[in-house]
């Protein structure tokens, strides 16, 4: 088996350590290469070993770790985080690796392209393991982001797995459908609903392309609802706060008592206005929070099923509050936003209806026992759902409400007779089933928005994407990025583990680029010149 240049150099270095006389002839005979090759390798070793730690990289274990270090830096910082080849080159030079690895910007770019090709081959190798089994259900979210040309993103919301992420000339339905055909019709996926911002192409994609229902995105809906009133309140608060500061300074500087009293009176009136604005802002935020707390499959107080009628009733109060505030802040624009959100309530309810239909169908396939089904639907599922919402939510006031709902649901669960009739194994099985099912309820496409935000940062850093680089980033997202539980998107969607992507890269890239000999390569360390005379 032929040896690489680096492996030959390692063997020469090992022989030098064992042969006290460093005879070229004996080393050449031991390795099986020519004497001139041994001499060149000796000179190369002398040039490389300029630092105290250099000998480590000449050993087999040191060379293996060196490859892991270089590929790790290039993968995690160069590819995943968009650090440029010039910066990475400076890093390798600063840690004394430039004498052992080709560290020029051009060499690192070439190595990066090799890494990208290996990553693409990884996805191809895993394709057989990325097939749905037993016609599993999914829920999708779609959106686009713009960097000259739009990038179309279609994500499985529960797992975060990206099905489509490609730069296209437009975002029309036909473009979306063409991307969909590449994986949808040849698979056995069963899409129960699709969440989007209501763009016509995406609605048509859900109904005509996927044959499912289109669900209004709560994230976009609340953002459009909040912006007019919130902006108007914020502007007025900032203006009055500035006027208060100015008046307070004038009061402090006033020398005449009459003028000081007049300014003080104006200051008090402005303070009352400011206090009223703060109260209205508090009411505004409370109404938005109430909407967020309401759009769930269960009622927050009793954990009852919440379908269209109940949802409409629960949303009436906060929307009425926002409508009153719209008359004071935002005017017609704010009122239009309230009316638009109210018109989206049926589409929000559609998502809840679709999920409940999914739950009942999946539960019927698991068990035909009526008592067990009722226990899961009315006792176990609400507790698991509110517990998951508590863990997911970061805002303290929402977390407290969800935690209270989970506590009450737990009390009802423990009071149910079926809870104690089941053994631990059965209870644990149904808890896992409910966790899987509750994760499938998705009311926003925030996963897509988060991906678009990441792409925006990368686009800014790299000044654009190539088709290859975008594909590589998609593969990394699906098979390498992990949540706090240690699972990747592919693992969550397909239900089994996949080979570690970085270890795959290490096993498929055998040789690092060697450093090029500069015009000053003959100027070696004097000590090395004595040990290895030309």
């Amino acid at each position: 088996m032929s040896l690489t240049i680096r492996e030959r150099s390692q063997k020469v270095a090992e022989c030098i350590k064992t042969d006290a006389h460093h005879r070229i002839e004996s080393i050449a005979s031991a390795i099986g290469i020519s004497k001139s090759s041994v001499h060149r390798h000796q000179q190369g070793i002398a040039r490389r070993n300029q630092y105290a730690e250099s000998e480590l990289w000449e050993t087999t274990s040191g060379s293996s770790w060196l490859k892991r270090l270089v590929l790790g830096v290039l993968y995690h910082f160069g590819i995943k985080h968009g650090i440029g080849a010039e910066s990475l080159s400076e890093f390798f030079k600063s840690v004394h690796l430039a004498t052992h690895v080709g560290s020029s910007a051009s060499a690192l770019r070439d190595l990066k392209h090799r890494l990208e090709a290996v990553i693409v081959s990884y996805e191809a190798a895993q394709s057989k393991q990325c097939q749905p089994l037993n016609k599993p259900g999914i829920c999708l979210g779609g959106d686009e982001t713009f960097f000259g040309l739009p990038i179309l993103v279609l994500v499985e919301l529960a797992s975060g797995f990206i099905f489509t992420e490609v730069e296209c000339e437009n975002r029309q339905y036909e473009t979306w459908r063409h991307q969909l055909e590449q994986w949808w019709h040849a698979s056995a996926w069963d899409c129960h609903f699709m969440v989007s911002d209501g763009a016509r192409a995406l609605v048509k994609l859900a109904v005509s392309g996927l044959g499912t229902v289109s669900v209004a995105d709560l994230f976009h809906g609340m953002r459009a609802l909040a912006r007019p009133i919130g902006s108007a309140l914020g502007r007025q608060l900032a203006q009055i706060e500035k006027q208060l500061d100015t008046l307070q300074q004038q009061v402090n500087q006033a020398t005449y008592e009459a003028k000081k009293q007049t300014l003080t009176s104006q200051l008090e009136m402005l303070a009352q206005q400011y206090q009223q604005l703060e109260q209205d802002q508090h009411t505004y935020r409370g109404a938005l929070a109430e909407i967020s707390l309401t759009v769930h499959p269960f009622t927050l107080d009793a954990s009852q099923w919440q379908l269209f009628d109940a949802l409409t009733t629960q949303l009436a109060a906060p929307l009425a509050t926002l409508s009153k505030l719209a008359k004071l802040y935002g005017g017609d624009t704010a009122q239009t936003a309230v009316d638009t959100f109210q018109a989206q309530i049926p589409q929000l309810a559609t998502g809840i209806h679709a999920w409940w239909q999914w739950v009942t169908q999946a539960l019927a396939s698991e068990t035909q026992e009526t008592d067990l089904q009722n226990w899961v639907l009315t006792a176990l599922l609400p507790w698991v759902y509110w517990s998951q919402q508590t863990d997911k939510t970061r805002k303290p006031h929402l977390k407290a409400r969800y935690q209270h709902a989970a506590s009450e649901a737990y009390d009802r669960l423990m009071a149910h007779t079926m809870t104690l009739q089941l053994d631990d194994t059965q209870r644990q099985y149904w808890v896992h089933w409910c966790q899987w099912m509750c994760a499938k309820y998705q009311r926003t496409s925030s996963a897509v928005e988060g991906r678009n935000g990441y792409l925006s940062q990368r686009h800014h850093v790299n000044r654009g994407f190539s088709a290859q680089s975008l594909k590589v980033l998609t593969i990394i997202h699906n098979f390498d990025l992990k949540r706090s539980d240690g699972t990747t998107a592919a693992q969550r969607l397909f239900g089994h583990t996949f080979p570690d992507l970085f270890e795959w890269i290490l096993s498929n890239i055998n040789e690092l680029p060697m450093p090029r000999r500069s015009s000053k390569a003959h100027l070696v360390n004097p000590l090395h010149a004595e040990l290895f005379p030309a």
Side-chain angles (χ1 to χ4, degrees):
M1 183 176 64
S2 61
L3 299 176
T4 65
I5 295 175
R6 190 178 297 276
E7 289 170 339
R8 287 182 178 181
S9 183
Q10 289 172 4
K11 287 188 175 295
V12 169
E14 291 170 0
C15 287
I16 288 174
K17 289 182 179 180
T18 58
D19 192 336
H21 301 288
H22 302 166
R23 290 184 303 174
I24 292 178
E25 193 171 318
S26 63
I27 295 174
S29 176
I31 299 177
I33 60 177
S34 66
K35 291 185 290 183
S36 60
S37 294
V38 173
H39 182 65
R40 285 196 302 273
H41 282 299
Q42 285 181 331
Q43 290 180 321
I45 293 170
R47 287 193 301 271
R48 292 196 297 272
N49 292 356
Q50 299 178 19
Y51 308 104
E53 71 277 9
S54 294
E55 289 188 1
L56 172 64
W57 311 127
E58 302 295 339
T59 66
T60 301
S61 59
S63 177
S64 177
W65 194 85
L66 177 65
K67 185 177 80 166
R68 179 178 290 272
L69 172 63
V70 173
L71 294 181
V73 169
L74 199 60
Y75 174 69
H76 288 285
F77 298 103
I79 295 179
K80 291 175 68 173
H81 295 284
I83 304 300
E86 290 80 4
S87 297
L88 296 180
S89 177
E90 291 297 323
F91 167 76
F92 287 128
K93 291 175 183 176
S94 68
V95 294
H96 298 167
L97 294 183
T99 56
H100 293 268
V101 180
S103 302
S104 67
S106 59
L108 293 178
R109 288 192 192 97
D110 291 341
L111 184 56
K112 177 183 175 182
H113 293 325
R114 288 171 58 192
L115 260 71
E116 290 177 338
V118 170
I119 292 171
V120 172
S121 71
Y122 172 90
E123 185 190 43
Q126 307 307 317
S127 59
K128 292 183 179 180
Q129 303 299 320
C130 294
Q131 298 298 325
L133 300 176
N134 303 321
K135 203 174 178 64
I138 57 175
C139 50
L140 296 175
D143 202 358
E144 61 279 317
T145 188
F146 295 90
F147 311 112
L149 294 178
I151 293 180
L152 310 184
V153 183
L154 195 63
V155 176
E156 205 286 316
L157 295 175
S159 64
F161 188 89
I162 299 176
F163 281 110
T164 297
E165 187 171 60
V166 63
E167 194 173 38
C168 296
E169 292 185 359
N170 59 64
R171 51 177 177 156
Q172 298 174 0
Y173 167 70
E174 292 299 327
T175 307
W176 276 104
R177 185 178 63 83
H178 175 71
Q179 297 301 323
L180 187 69
E181 287 176 347
Q182 298 181 26
W183 61 271
W184 173 255
H185 296 296
S187 67
W189 296 113
D190 184 11
C191 183
H192 289 269
F193 57 88
M194 177 178 169
V195 182
S196 71
D197 58 4
R200 292 181 181 180
L202 293 174
V203 173
K204 188 175 181 180
L205 181 70
V207 177
S208 302
L210 296 167
T212 188
V213 294
S214 176
V215 177
D217 184 358
L218 183 64
F219 171 79
H220 283 91
M222 289 193 65
R223 188 163 176 262
L225 174 65
R227 187 185 300 139
I229 300 176
S231 297
L233 274 167
R235 284 194 302 271
Q236 292 191 33
L237 278 168
Q239 291 172 0
I240 293 183
E241 186 173 9
K242 186 176 181 180
Q243 293 174 14
L244 283 171
D245 291 340
T246 302
L247 273 175
Q248 186 63 58
Q249 292 177 6
Q250 292 177 357
V251 169
N252 295 338
Q253 296 172 0
T255 56
Y256 298 102
E257 188 63 29
K259 184 177 181 180
K260 190 172 184 178
Q261 289 180 357
T262 301
L263 292 173
T264 302
S265 177
Q266 294 176 2
L267 187 65
E268 291 175 353
M269 291 177 62
L270 274 177
Q272 291 176 1
Q273 293 180 30
Y274 188 81
Q275 186 177 7
Q276 182 61 49
L277 284 169
E278 283 188 320
Q279 180 62 41
D280 289 343
Q281 189 179 59
H282 178 75
T283 303
Y284 154 79
R285 290 173 176 171
L288 292 178
E290 197 62 32
I291 292 173
S292 181
L293 290 166
T294 299
V295 184
H296 289 287
F298 301 97
T299 57
L300 195 63
D301 52 356
S303 293
Q304 299 295 320
W305 287 27
Q306 183 161 242
L307 301 178
F308 174 73
D309 291 338
L311 183 65
T312 304
T313 301
Q314 292 294 325
L315 289 176
L319 287 176
T321 299
L322 292 175
S323 185
K324 291 179 181 178
L325 291 174
K327 296 176 181 177
L328 301 173
Y329 313 101
D332 294 339
T333 302
Q335 186 58 52
T336 300
V338 175
D339 296 338
T340 300
F341 184 88
Q342 196 155 14
Q344 291 179 337
I345 293 177
Q347 283 73 44
L348 294 172
T350 297
I352 297 176
H353 284 231
W355 182 76
W356 273 118
Q357 185 177 11
W358 188 357
V359 169
T360 53
Q361 289 175 353
L363 184 58
S365 66
E366 293 286 337
T367 179
Q368 296 296 321
E369 296 182 28
T370 304
D371 291 343
L372 185 57
Q373 289 180 350
N374 290 335
W375 174 75
V376 170
L377 294 174
T378 62
L380 182 60
L381 198 63
W383 171 65
V384 172
Y385 180 82
W386 292 123
S387 298
Q388 281 192 358
Q389 292 301 315
T390 301
D391 294 337
K392 287 166 58 177
T393 303
R394 297 179 182 178
K395 295 182 178 180
H397 62 285
L398 295 180
K399 184 180 284 289
R401 296 284 297 274
Y402 291 146
Q403 194 168 17
H404 180 71
S407 178
E408 291 188 338
Y410 179 78
D411 292 339
R412 287 189 290 269
L413 172 65
M414 298 309 297
H416 200 288
T417 55
M418 179 68 72
T419 303
L420 300 179
Q421 291 178 9
L422 300 175
D423 59 38
D424 291 342
T425 302
Q426 291 175 312
R427 282 196 296 267
Q428 195 62 34
Y429 172 82
W430 286 111
V431 167
H432 287 159
W433 184 87
C434 288
Q435 288 174 339
W436 178 84
M437 201 69 249
C438 289
K440 295 298 182 180
Y441 175 70
Q442 299 289 328
R443 58 184 191 168
T444 72
S445 61
S446 54
V448 186
E449 293 299 323
R451 184 61 180 174
N452 288 344
Y454 171 79
L455 292 178
S456 298
Q457 292 179 345
R458 288 303 309 276
H459 179 270
H460 178 71
V461 170
N462 294 337
R463 298 180 296 279
F465 296 106
S466 65
Q468 174 88 333
S469 64
L470 185 59
K471 182 176 181 62
V472 166
L473 291 176
T474 306
I475 296 170
I476 290 173
H477 173 92
N478 287 338
F479 294 95
D480 186 55
L481 300 186
K482 297 179 177 65
R483 288 182 181 172
S484 58
D485 60 359
T487 60
T488 64
Q491 183 178 345
R492 291 187 294 271
L493 180 62
F494 298 104
H496 59 83
T497 58
F498 291 84
D500 185 89
L501 178 54
F502 181 65
E503 296 299 327
W504 175 281
I505 292 172
L506 286 176
S507 63
N508 283 274
I509 293 184
N510 298 320
E511 189 72 7
L512 296 177
M514 296 293 290
R516 289 184 294 182
R517 183 176 179 180
S518 69
S519 60
K520 298 181 181 180
H522 63 283
L523 301 177
V524 298
N525 187 297
L527 176 62
H528 292 142
E530 292 178 9
L531 292 175
F532 307 107

